[in-house]
């Protein structure tokens, strides 16, 4: 597994963010039964920058806590079978053979605000946002009620597997 982590925010996090992110990414891949070695890029950035990215790529002129940019369109969440088709070759890094899952962008300010607002530790909020985003990278969504229920259940199970309970 390759997990590239970039820290571009001015505000610092007082938790071992690289270790937390890598653990969540690895656990998410295991829990969802990903049969491939995978590559994920995670960027921790400022509220201002995530707002710019949200505006540019989603047409939404506001900041958010996390953005997910999956590399593949899954027919069903965590259904990796379609990747065996010939036209899915662009989903793999040609140099390493790893599955290119996509990019996660986290707002450090929003992470801190939400941890405080929900009474969570920074570790818990970072783990939750990373888990949420990993599920998006594997085809989960929450736009429709049925999808939302499934995604929330997978998030709950992932957080349990990480032994990070809701505080």
């Amino acid at each position: 597994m390759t997990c590239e982590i970039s820290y571009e925010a001015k505000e610092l996090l007082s938790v071992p963010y690289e270790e937390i992110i890598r653990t969540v990414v690895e656990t998410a891949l295991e829990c969802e039964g990903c049969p491939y070695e995978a590559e994920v890029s995670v960027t921790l950035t400022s509220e201002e920058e995530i707002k710019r990215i949200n505006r540019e790529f989603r047409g939404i002129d506001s900041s958010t806590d996390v953005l997910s940019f999956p590399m593949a369109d899954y027919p069903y969440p965590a259904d990796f079978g379609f990747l065996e088709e010939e036209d899915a070759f662009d989903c793999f890094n040609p140099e390493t053979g790893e599955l290119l899952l996509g990019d996660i962008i986290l707002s450090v300010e929003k992470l801190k605000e939400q941890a405080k607002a929900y009474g969570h530790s920074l570790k818990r909020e970072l783990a939750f946002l990373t888990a949420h985003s990993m599920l998006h990278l594997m085809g989960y969504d929450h736009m429709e009620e049925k999808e939302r229920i499934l995604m929330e259940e997978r998030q709950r199970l992932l957080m349990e597997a990480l032994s990070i309970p809701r505080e």
Side-chain angles (χ1 to χ4, degrees):
M1 173 193 78
T2 300
C3 184
E4 294 290 331
I5 301 171
S6 301
Y7 201 101
E8 299 175 357
K10 291 178 184 159
E11 281 196 47
L12 297 177
L13 281 175
S14 59
V15 294
Y17 64 90
E18 289 183 351
E19 177 186 330
I20 294 165
I21 291 168
R22 283 193 171 86
T23 299
V24 174
V25 168
E26 189 173 298
T27 304
L29 292 168
E30 289 172 11
C31 286
E32 294 305 313
C34 181
Y36 304 102
E37 288 295 314
E39 183 177 320
V40 178
S41 172
V42 180
T43 303
L44 294 107
T45 194
S46 67
E47 187 171 357
E48 179 181 304
E49 180 62 8
I50 206 165
K51 179 180 180 179
R52 185 196 65 74
I53 294 167
N54 204 19
R55 181 177 53 247
E56 180 178 338
F57 290 95
R58 298 180 63 224
I60 299 172
D61 192 19
S62 63
S63 63
T64 188
D65 52 2
V66 63
L67 291 170
S68 309
F69 295 98
M71 291 294 290
D73 288 323
Y74 292 79
Y76 302 99
D79 179 0
F80 300 96
F82 82 98
L83 294 168
E84 295 298 321
E85 298 171 12
E86 287 182 32
D87 60 346
F89 69 91
D90 59 340
C91 293
F92 293 89
N93 183 324
E95 294 177 15
T96 65
E98 290 180 317
L99 173 61
L100 297 168
L101 276 181
D103 301 323
I104 297 170
I105 302 172
L106 294 153
S107 166
V108 171
E109 289 99 333
K110 286 286 189 185
L111 188 151
K112 288 180 170 184
E113 286 173 20
Q114 289 177 182
K116 186 175 181 180
Y118 296 131
H120 295 158
S121 66
L122 289 175
K123 175 184 177 180
R124 198 262 180 214
E125 192 65 17
L126 176 58
F128 177 80
L129 292 176
T130 304
H132 178 88
S133 203
M134 280 298 295
L135 291 172
H136 276 307
L137 296 186
M138 292 184 279
Y140 288 89
D141 210 343
H142 46 76
M143 297 305 286
E144 296 176 19
E145 183 69 8
K146 187 177 175 183
E147 294 174 334
R148 182 190 62 76
I149 291 168
L150 175 62
M151 188 168 179
E152 286 179 1
E153 176 64 9
R154 298 309 300 166
Q155 285 173 166
R156 185 187 65 74
L157 292 172
L158 181 48
M159 295 302 284
E160 281 181 11
L162 291 161
S163 299
I164 303 175
R166 190 172 191 105
E167 297 168 348

